[in-house]
Amino acid sequence: MPLQVAVQMDPLERVNIETDTTFFLMLEAQTRGHGLFVYAPDRLTLDDGRVLARGRAVNLRAVRGDHHSVGEVEVRDLSEADVVLMRHDPPFDMAYITATYLLEKIHPATLVVNNPAEVRNAPEKLFVTGFPGLQPPTLISSDPEALHDFHARHGDVVLKPLYGGGGSGVVKLRAGDPNLDALLELHALIGREPVIAQKFIPAVSAGDKRILLVDGEPVGAINRIPADGQVRSNLARGGRAEAVDLTARDREICDTIALELKDRGLLFVGIDVIGDYLTEINVTSPTGAQQLRRFGGPDAATALWDRIEAIRGIV
């Protein structure tokens, strides 16, 4: 039996069909005969208790420059969908959080991937702190004195926006670097949120591993190599992807977090591992599935839809 699948995403016409994970997931759904409806997060509405979305039915094809056809604009009651993929990109701001509150009203009768309440309760750079021994030394604070003390204790550090994504705003500060105050002033101009500081891991020069997990089980990994002279390895920031195998330490990390992911209903997750350290647990819009498949690794889209169909009772 085909499923009706709604996808909350950034504009479909702008995606790179050769790298975009959302497109890859949608194409697999369509191949299985499921119907697709797309809408932007700012077209989500709560109307007298009904969760509505203004969007279009869509048909996809893997043709660059001609990758989709759309139907007429219509409003659908998302409680009548079988599955909603919540796939729009961070920043994880109040608009993002509000979307989780609205989608929580229809889950799990309509299966929202990932569970919207747990997306809200597991902000990616905070969630990871719940697993002692997996992270490098980490500080989350708005207190300049605490941040200066952390910098002095650990030397080279990386400073990140707490709720950013895609490598945006990530900088490296060397031991004794005098620019910390200026950077904190810039962060304060953007918002009131704390920042996160982590001890710099030199192993990042060998790559930042993205491991994809479906319902707590590792599917496979890619290694993201930063461009020359860069600290950020994100593919959106010029990083280069390459094939990589899971190590014993990678599997230990996955085993440690697996039950928590399952219990929270976080079906599709991407974790970042540098050297022996877990640095982030990405639950909003994880990427890397196309690159993993291209390198001959497992198909994360197949694994995810197998699990979704099992939950929805499709054999």
Side-chain angles (χ1 to χ4, degrees):
M1 181 182 71
L3 299 173
Q4 292 302 312
V5 180
V7 185
Q8 180 172 301
M9 65 180 297
D10 300 305
L12 178 59
E13 59 270 17
R14 299 181 194 169
V15 304
N16 182 341
I17 68 168
E18 296 174 353
T19 61
D20 189 83
T21 293
T22 302
F23 183 84
F24 192 55
L25 297 177
M26 292 168 65
L27 199 60
E28 175 64 20
Q30 180 177 281
T31 299
R32 294 174 180 233
H34 305 320
L36 295 173
F37 174 79
V38 299
Y39 67 94
D42 62 356
R43 293 297 181 263
L44 190 63
T45 299
L46 182 65
D47 184 349
D48 283 339
R50 295 188 304 155
V51 181
L52 310 176
R54 187 181 306 275
R56 299 173 184 261
V58 64
N59 185 269
L60 303 180
R61 49 192 170 269
V63 179
R64 186 190 300 178
D66 185 29
H67 61 273
H68 70 294
S69 301
V70 296
E72 296 295 322
V73 174
E74 58 180 300
V75 176
R76 292 193 183 183
D77 186 333
L78 292 184
S79 69
E80 298 175 359
D82 298 295
V83 179
V84 172
L85 297 183
M86 188 177 184
R87 288 288 306 175
H88 69 285
D89 291 337
F92 191 77
D93 53 14
M94 286 307 300
Y96 213 113
I97 290 171
T98 299
T100 70
Y101 281 118
L102 299 190
L103 292 178
E104 187 181 2
K105 292 181 176 296
I106 60 171
H107 179 81
T110 294
L111 177 64
V112 182
V113 180
N114 287 314
N115 179 345
E118 295 303 336
V119 168
R120 185 175 67 246
N121 293 337
E124 295 164 343
K125 296 176 181 67
L126 277 168
F127 184 26
V128 67
T129 64
F131 302 95
L134 298 188
Q135 266 196 303
T138 299
L139 179 78
I140 298 172
S141 183
S142 296
D143 181 357
E145 291 186 26
L147 288 156
H148 274 285
D149 175 69
F150 184 87
H151 189 199
R153 284 187 284 124
H154 293 288
D156 293 358
V157 300
V158 173
L159 198 70
K160 312 176 190 180
L162 183 56
Y163 297 114
S168 178
V170 177
V171 296
K172 177 186 176 183
L173 289 169
R174 297 188 181 278
D177 192 315
N179 292 305
L180 178 56
D181 283 326
L183 288 170
L184 294 179
E185 289 168 6
L186 290 172
H187 280 287
L189 291 174
I190 297 168
R192 297 183 298 170
E193 295 83 4
V195 296
I196 179 169
Q198 285 184 330
K199 181 178 175 62
F200 176 70
I201 309 169
V204 72
S205 62
D208 179 352
K209 195 175 295 182
R210 163 57 57 88
I211 303 173
L212 293 176
L213 301 96
V214 170
D215 203 15
E217 298 296 325
V219 176
I222 59 171
N223 201 28
R224 300 171 298 176
I225 309 296
D228 290 344
Q230 295 292 319
V231 68
R232 299 180 295 182
S233 57
N234 307 74
L235 301 181
R237 304 293 168 182
R240 181 184 82 254
E242 65 178 22
V244 69
D245 293 325
L246 294 176
T247 66
R249 174 59 171 170
D250 296 335
R251 294 189 181 279
E252 178 186 356
I253 289 170
C254 292
D255 288 346
T256 301
I257 67 175
L259 184 59
E260 189 76 12
L261 299 182
K262 286 175 176 287
D263 287 348
R264 289 174 178 255
L266 296 170
L267 290 182
F268 190 56
V269 169
I271 65 172
D272 296 340
V273 176
I274 301 175
D276 289 333
Y277 292 108
L278 175 65
T279 59
E280 291 188 22
I281 301 175
N282 298 276
V283 304
T284 51
S285 185
T287 61
Q290 289 220 52
Q291 293 83 355
L292 174 62
R293 189 71 187 94
R294 190 171 298 124
F295 292 138
D299 191 327
T302 296
L304 178 61
W305 282 106
D306 284 349
R307 184 67 188 116
I308 289 172
E309 289 179 352
I311 292 171
R312 296 273 56 169
I314 295 178
V315 179

